[in-house]
């Protein structure tokens, strides 16, 4: 058990819809990272928050947004969903960049 | 910009064989951190090891060993006497100093055949 909790585990929705993925970091970790893993793109970094502030941005689409709340949990919002957004979305938590990231079990998003 | 290359897409070995997974990285920073993660068929990502750019000592942990060579920008991972439970996708990753993103390689899928 990594200590990182992601909900829901599975999500099935239709194109054009909006969903919210949730992540609770490991106790004591201030950083939250979001990744998208798909068959053709591999593990892609989306965005990082540290103690409520955005710190780094990767290949995150404009239709996607995230935030980290005062209690340090984070949400990733995906809107105007397309078939290509079907993927496994991981949240990871950590501290400084020299520390390993601990991953949640992921949310599998399927767009029909 | 940082980059991680895992040239081996898939490797198959017979149980008890040794196997080395290659990782080559690119970074302009002098301070950086390298990681290996394992993703078994169940899907979770598990941290295996971290190495910082100032520590070129090789590391051995049971059947696992890591060889870090700054001269060739490589951080290779060897599994000795492989077992079926080692079957997984292995990711090499790089992080630069500060609150920076981590760049993952594309992963190497290892299949250990009984």
């Amino acid at each position: 058990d990594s200590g990182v909790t992601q909900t829901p585990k599975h999500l099935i929705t239709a194109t054009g819809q909006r969903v919210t993925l949730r992540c609770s970091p490991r106790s004591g970790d201030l950083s939250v990272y979001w990744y998208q893993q798909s068959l053709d793109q591999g593990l892609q970094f989306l965005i990082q928050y540290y103690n409520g502030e955005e710190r780094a941005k990767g290949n995150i689409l404009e239709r996607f947004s995230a935030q980290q709340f005062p209690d340090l949990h984070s949400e990733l919002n995906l809107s105007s969903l397309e078939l290509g957004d079907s993927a496994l979305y991981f949240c990871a938590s950590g501290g400084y960049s020299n520390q390993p990231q601990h991953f949640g079990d992921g949310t599998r998003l399927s767009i029909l | 910009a940082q980059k991680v290359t895992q040239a081996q897409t898939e490797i198959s070995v017979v149980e008890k064989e040794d196997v080395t997974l290659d990782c080559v990285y690119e970074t302009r920073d002098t301070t950086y951190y390298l990681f290996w993660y394992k993703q078994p068929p169940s899907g979770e990502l598990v941290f295996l090891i971290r190495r910082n750019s100032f520590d070129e000592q090789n590391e051995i942990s049971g059947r696992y060993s890591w060889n870090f060579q700054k001269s060739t920008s490589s951080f290779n991972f060897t599994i000795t006497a492989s077992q079926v439970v080692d079957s997984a996708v292995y990711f090499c990753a790089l992080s630069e100093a500060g609150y920076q993103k981590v760049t993952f390689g594309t992963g190497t899928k290892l299949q250990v055949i009984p």
Side-chain angles (χ1 to χ4, degrees), chain B residues 82-109:
Chain B
S82 60
Q83 299 177 0
V84 173
V85 293
D86 296 326
S87 297
V89 180
Y90 291 86
F91 292 94
C92 179
L94 166 69
S95 171
E96 294 170 346
Y99 302 101
Q100 302 296 328
K101 67 175 186 178
V102 177
T103 298
F104 281 78
T106 51
T108 296
K109 183 176 182 180

Side-chain angles (χ1 to χ4, degrees), chain B residues 20-32:
Chain B
T20 295
L21 310 182
D22 298 332
C23 173
V24 174
Y25 62 91
E26 294 177 27
T27 178
R28 294 178 182 173
D29 271 19
T30 54
T31 302
Y32 53 89

Side-chain angles (χ1 to χ4, degrees), chain A residues 3-5 23-32 68 71-74 91-94:
Chain A
V4 178
T5 304
C23 171
S24 294
R26 222 169 51 127
S27 177
D29 285 348
L30 299 179
S31 272
V32 169
Q68 186 179 27
D71 67 352
L72 300 178
H73 92 271
S74 178
C91 166
S93 76

Side-chain angles (χ1 to χ4, degrees), chain B:
Chain B
Q2 51 190 3
K3 185 179 178 182
V4 177
T5 302
Q6 294 180 257
Q8 304 152 308
T9 306
E10 288 193 41
I11 301 176
S12 288
V13 298
V14 176
E15 201 171 19
K16 297 185 182 177
E17 286 184 349
D18 298 346
V19 58
T20 295
L21 310 182
D22 298 332
C23 173
V24 174
Y25 62 91
E26 294 177 27
T27 178
R28 294 178 182 173
D29 271 19
T30 54
T31 302
Y32 53 89
Y33 306 94
L34 295 163
F35 305 84
W36 276 94
Y37 290 85
K38 173 182 179 180
Q39 186 176 37
S42 49
E44 72 273 22
L45 277 156
V46 179
F47 163 74
L48 295 177
I49 190 171
R50 175 194 65 199
R51 174 67 72 230
N52 72 54
S53 53
F54 299 111
D55 182 2
E56 287 193 70
Q57 269 191 332
N58 293 331
E59 177 148 346
I60 298 174
S61 175
R63 297 183 297 106
Y64 295 170
S65 62
W66 290 268
N67 182 273
F68 174 35
Q69 291 194 337
K70 287 180 74 171
S71 60
T72 56
S73 297
S74 65
F75 186 41
N76 296 335
F77 173 29
T78 297
I79 302 175
T80 303
S82 60
Q83 299 177 0
V84 173
V85 293
D86 296 326
S87 297
V89 180
Y90 291 86
F91 292 94
C92 179
L94 166 69
S95 171
E96 294 170 346
Y99 302 101
Q100 302 296 328
K101 67 175 186 178
V102 177
T103 298
F104 281 78
T106 51
T108 296
K109 183 176 182 180
L110 173 65
Q111 184 177 13
V112 180
I113 304 166

Side-chain angles (χ1 to χ4, degrees), chain A residues 33-47:
Chain A
Y33 304 78
W34 285 98
Y35 294 88
Q36 179 193 57
Q37 186 177 33
S38 58
L39 285 175
D40 56 343
Q41 295 284 340
L43 196 59
Q44 296 283 317
F45 167 75
L46 296 178
I47 198 163

